[in-house]
Amino acid sequence: MTTPSEALAAVKAARRLRDDAARPVAVARQHALGKLTARERIATLLDDGAVFEELGALVEPGRHTMDTGDLQAPGDGVVTGLGQVLGRTTAIAAFDFTILGGSNGEHGEWKMLRLLDLCLRHGHPLVMLLDGGGHRIQEGLDSRHFARGTTLFQRFCDLSGWVPMVAAMMGPGFAGPSNFAALADFVVMVEGTSTMGIAGPALVAAATGERLTKDDLGSAEVQATGAGIADLAVVDDRAALAAVRRFLSFLPANAGQPAPVLPTDDPADRRDAALASLIPDNPRRAYDMRKAVTAIADAGSTFELRPTHARNLLTVLARMDGRPVGIIANQPMQMGGTLTVPACEKGAHFVALCDAFGIPLIYLIDVPGFLVGPAAETSGLARRSGRLLFELGQATVPRLSVVLRKGYGLAYIAMAGGRSFDADLCLAWPSAEICAMSVEGAVDVAYRKQIDGTDDPAQARDGLIARFRTQLGPLRAAEAHGVDDIIDPCDTRPALIRALARCPGRRARAVSGRFRAISPI
């Protein structure tokens, strides 16, 4: 009969098998790739001195399918538990590449479900540190195991909008890990070591015959810049974990709590003289909208999401007088700030994120319209632009808008311009010009016969354009109460901060009795 001391010794021995020291060769390979181990990542993510409360540490893998009878996978390849991040209890799941390549087994799934249930019940943020090959093949090739599917994705849907969910792609991440990341609010990838995608090179070759590398399919460049699946690409594991902490710093632990307000030395009434000369005299010249974003935000507080994807639209978390805000701004430096499908999808997701966690929205508008032409139509812009409008219409957080220069057509409305979505404050700079479409295009459509009938069509066209341009300025917009005020650009920050101080955190939903609205996408 086993004595209590012998039983305790057996437990301690089992725990030691979970430690990195039990796999020195695998850990050395991990380090040689420039990667931290799962446990090192957890320690780096946690607050200094914080204790990690591991759950399911003694779990063993299932050994009931073909070729799994002698399977050795301590903890079933995933470390799950709770710890303090930014002073708040946070749920963490770190997949351990040193154990069977970080593959996911059935018992590891049970650990994940336990962790997600705690997030749902107690309102903990969720951080997934993903480094592995998805579903464990030895278990997946058995209908007795796989036919019942998994409730993991239902639980992710339950958590969406309730707690922040973060995915850090820190190694191979094809299949399952990419599916996890697809449902996360923030995804960061490590350049050179991480990948994402529906399937890796071997499965792609088997299915299509194409011979591609993992980087061809899902490198950080492909997914962060090209596809926009990842919000950020960084240089190494430590930078990825720092980005996770930075992202979480703007959000509450859950939707039932207020977003964290931090003390700031940046005066709320600070005027920025540089804004007075930001807009070029030539309306065709571009300028960098990031200068406006940094000028109105608290010093050093901006955190841009998807900075290399859909660069014609900026989506930035920031603080104003210590309070988190979400800034959506057209970028004239890229396509003149025109809205495209990637920009609409980027902006719509950002609006949903901010609205879910009670973060006010600030729109900085300089938009000549939506993209037009064959590329727009084949990309589905007619429908996909609707999601940008849809998410704004669903939002209940305060929304403030400032027209810096162009506010043209439906794109102006999609950027919360004017009264269309009942902005809590709509402002314009003296440089603003607002109309239903570009003047040149409108004149060519509506006055073509009149122009062609003159002795000098070019002069006639120029005259009509000049005449209509006199009607686009902000004074006429203010006279008809289309905007609340025209302000000196230098006063933008204090004007917005005053408005944020008076706005309630939420507005009532417009329709009662409805189960859900139907997104265009």
Side-chain angles (χ1 to χ4, degrees), residues 130 169 173-183 195-198 223 229:
L130 301 168
M169 308 301 294
F174 289 108
S178 292
N179 299 136
F180 293 174
L183 293 173
T195 53
M196 285 177 65
I198 296 298
Q223 300 294 14
I229 305 300

Side-chain angles (χ1 to χ4, degrees), residues 423-463:
D424 295 281
L425 180 68
C426 10
L427 300 172
W429 283 9
S431 49
E433 50 183 63
I434 303 169
C435 60
M437 63 189 73
S438 75
V439 174
E440 291 82 359
V443 165
D444 289 343
V445 170
Y447 292 90
R448 172 52 54 194
K449 288 184 179 180
Q450 179 180 325
I451 291 171
D452 289 345
T454 65
D455 295 334
D456 189 341
Q459 183 179 12
R461 180 178 183 270
D462 290 345

Side-chain angles (χ1 to χ4, degrees), residues 4-22:
S5 60
E6 290 172 334
L8 179 59
V11 170
K12 289 181 177 179
R15 287 190 187 280
R16 284 194 293 272
L17 291 176
R18 275 80 183 148
D19 293 339
D20 290 347

Side-chain angles (χ1 to χ4, degrees), residues 14-31 33 35-42 52 54 56-57 59 72-80 92-105 108-109 111-112 127-134 136 168-173 177 180 237:
R15 287 190 187 280
R16 284 194 293 272
L17 291 176
R18 275 80 183 148
D19 293 339
D20 290 347
R23 295 176 300 283
V25 174
V27 168
R29 283 199 299 265
Q30 184 86 344
H31 288 164
L33 292 171
K35 302 197 295 183
L36 301 174
T37 67
R39 295 183 182 278
E40 289 169 340
R41 288 165 176 164
I42 292 171
F52 181 62
E54 187 170 353
V59 163
Q72 298 301 311
D76 210 17
V78 60
V79 183
T80 58
I92 303 170
F95 289 80
D96 193 340
F97 194 77
T98 69
I99 298 176
L100 297 181
S103 57
N104 310 328
E109 176 189 326
K111 292 172 65 172
M112 282 290 295
V127 176
M128 296 175 287
L129 308 178
L130 301 168
D131 184 1
R136 188 168 298 143
M169 308 301 294
M170 310 182 84
F180 293 174
D237 281 10

Side-chain angles (χ1 to χ4, degrees), residues 143-380:
S143 64
R144 184 175 182 178
H145 160 75
F146 196 70
R148 66 192 298 270
T150 176
T151 57
L152 266 176
F153 294 99
Q154 176 63 63
R155 191 58 77 236
F156 282 132
C157 294
D158 294 338
L159 291 174
S160 179
W162 169 234
V163 299
M165 293 190 291
V166 173
M169 308 301 294
M170 310 182 84
F174 289 108
S178 292
N179 299 136
F180 293 174
L183 293 173
D185 304 314
F186 175 69
V187 180
V188 58
M189 295 183 72
V190 178
E191 296 169 341
T193 57
S194 69
T195 53
M196 285 177 65
I198 296 298
L203 286 180
V204 169
T208 70
E210 294 177 277
R211 302 291 175 180
L212 300 168
T213 69
K214 61 184 178 64
D215 287 336
D216 292 334
L217 290 166
S219 68
E221 173 70 18
V222 169
Q223 300 294 14
T225 299
I229 305 300
D231 294 283
L232 200 62
V234 297
V235 295
D236 58 24
D237 281 10
R238 294 186 186 280
L241 297 167
V244 170
R245 288 178 61 90
R246 185 78 190 280
F247 175 77
L248 291 175
S249 73
F250 291 95
L251 305 184
N254 58 66
Q257 298 181 9
V261 178
L262 300 182
T264 178
D265 295 328
D266 198 349
D269 60 355
R270 171 175 58 77
R271 303 177 77 248
D272 195 309
L275 292 179
S277 57
L278 178 64
I279 306 298
D281 292 336
N282 183 345
R284 293 182 177 276
R285 282 191 58 196
Y287 61 94
D288 189 354
M289 182 64 84
R290 284 192 180 89
K291 293 180 179 180
V293 172
T294 55
I296 66 172
D298 292 350
S301 73
T302 59
F303 183 64
E304 187 173 351
L305 304 184
R306 305 191 196 179
T308 60
H309 175 71
R311 299 184 188 195
N312 42 327
L313 188 74
L314 307 180
T315 50
V316 183
L317 291 170
R319 282 191 166 79
M320 297 188 71
D321 200 24
R323 178 180 181 176
V325 295
I327 301 175
I328 303 177
N330 307 111
Q331 173 56 292
M333 298 289 288
Q334 300 289 331
M335 302 178 68
T338 300
L339 291 176
T340 56
V341 164
C344 289
E345 293 183 344
K346 174 179 173 178
H349 183 271
F350 186 73
V351 171
L353 169 71
C354 292
D355 186 51
F357 296 109
I359 298 175
L361 294 164
I362 294 175
Y363 287 81
L364 301 182
I365 305 171
D366 187 352
V367 63
F370 289 105
L371 181 69
V372 297
E377 306 312 330
T378 56
S379 68

